[in-house]
Amino acid sequence: MIGQPLLVTQGLTARYGDFQALFGIDFEIDKGEVVALIGANGAGKTTFLKAIMGLVRTGDNMIRFDGVPTSGLAPHQIVKKGIAMVPEGRRLFAGMSVEDNLLVARDHGRRLPEGGRGWTINRVHDLFPILRDKRHVPVESLSGGQQQMVSIGRALLCQPRLLLCDEISLGLSPLVIREIYAALPTIAAEGTAALIVEQDVGLAQSASSRLYCLLEGRVTLHRRSAEVDRAEITKAYFGASEHAMA
């Protein structure tokens, strides 16, 4: 990559009390890049995202965003810096309409960049047209895929420079997954980097320029997505070449 990466972690460790979940994670992502993070359940993928968001305590200077350390900042301060997360399970505000869920992010997120295009509710509607039609509908009455679109739109309205996506395809139909992933190039074209945690390895490869694999809180593979083969991924995923992936 040319120039300074947008986000870098160096020797990142994270703990839940006495339990250490991450061990020395070195990672980087550039502006407008889509990077995939794969690994089995319990590998540390969600913990890694939470560490970036300030939801899990880390050591000093282990995370740098745009060259500035962010360790120790509260989640709302990290959002203001330009990082937003699409959490697993969507976590929308039940009892509120689609539009009200989006307005919450618009009113409490990072301001529109001066002289920049930025994300607006109209632009989220352009990205996911069904949300325009459903804007006055309570979010709990939407399909799972539509709810995921609201969750992504809500994160984009925080004006992120880095979007963290945790299992955005989970429980969705292949058709809806394709529709959601088709939005990633548009998001990246705006200069917004995306780090996607994904269980579907084939989908992760096709959607990203590079991928990292975690196993028990450690990086076991880092390669360009188009260059890595199935055998390498299997070994990195399980830690032993005998295992076969489903």
Side-chain angles (χ1 to χ4, degrees):
M1 289 184 285
I2 300 173
Q4 176 180 271
L6 179 63
L7 179 129
V8 175
T9 73
Q10 292 182 315
L12 177 63
T13 60
R15 291 179 175 274
Y16 295 104
D18 293 333
F19 174 74
Q20 186 166 348
L22 298 178
F23 299 82
I25 304 296
D26 293 335
F27 171 90
E28 61 183 50
I29 187 170
D30 205 7
K31 177 182 178 181
E33 187 181 22
V34 179
V35 174
L37 184 62
I38 63 173
N41 288 334
K45 306 183 299 299
T46 295
T47 298
F48 182 66
L49 298 190
K50 288 181 175 180
I52 294 172
M53 285 303 304
L55 296 166
V56 176
R57 192 169 184 177
T58 65
D60 294 340
N61 297 314
M62 290 183 176
I63 304 172
R64 299 181 74 88
F65 184 65
D66 208 14
V68 178
T70 60
S71 300
L73 294 181
H76 73 274
Q77 294 173 307
I78 290 174
V79 172
K80 294 288 188 183
K81 291 281 187 183
I83 305 177
M85 185 169 174
V86 182
E88 182 181 352
R90 299 144 202 163
R91 298 184 188 176
L92 300 175
F93 297 109
M96 294 171 59
S97 68
V98 168
E99 186 159 344
D100 286 341
N101 268 269
L102 296 177
L103 286 170
V104 167
R106 189 199 66 179
D107 295 341
H108 293 87
R110 186 166 164 255
R111 291 185 177 181
L112 279 166
E114 288 185 19
R117 199 172 170 204
W119 287 96
T120 64
I121 289 179
N122 281 338
R123 293 199 61 221
V124 169
H125 288 166
D126 291 341
L127 190 66
F128 299 121
I130 189 64
L131 298 187
R132 180 179 284 113
D133 299 334
K134 302 277 189 180
R135 60 188 180 276
H136 299 306
V137 173
V139 289
E140 60 267 30
S141 68
L142 300 180
S143 69
Q146 292 164 359
Q147 289 180 3
Q148 192 63 278
M149 293 172 190
V150 176
S151 186
I152 294 169
R154 183 178 62 181
L156 290 174
L157 286 166
C158 293
Q159 312 304 328
R161 299 174 63 202
L162 173 60
L163 185 66
L164 309 179
C165 300
D166 194 4
E167 302 282 13
I168 56 176
S169 70
L170 194 65
L172 304 182
S173 71
L175 181 64
V176 172
I177 291 169
R178 284 196 298 272
E179 185 177 359
I180 288 174
Y181 268 84
L184 282 179
T186 300
I187 294 169
E190 297 292 323
T192 301
L195 171 55
I196 55 171
V197 166
E198 180 54 66
Q199 287 281 1
D200 184 326
V201 174
L203 184 59
Q205 279 188 276
S206 64
S208 63
S209 60
R210 293 183 297 117
L211 64 79
Y212 290 78
C213 183
L214 294 187
L215 175 66
E216 296 179 349
R218 295 175 172 85
V219 174
T220 53
L221 178 68
H222 170 217
R223 291 282 300 279
R224 294 198 64 81
S225 300
E227 296 173 355
V228 66
D229 63 33
R230 194 73 169 179
E232 288 179 290
I233 291 175
T234 300
K235 185 175 182 180
Y237 210 93
F238 294 106
S241 57
E242 301 82 46
H243 292 280
M245 293 185 66

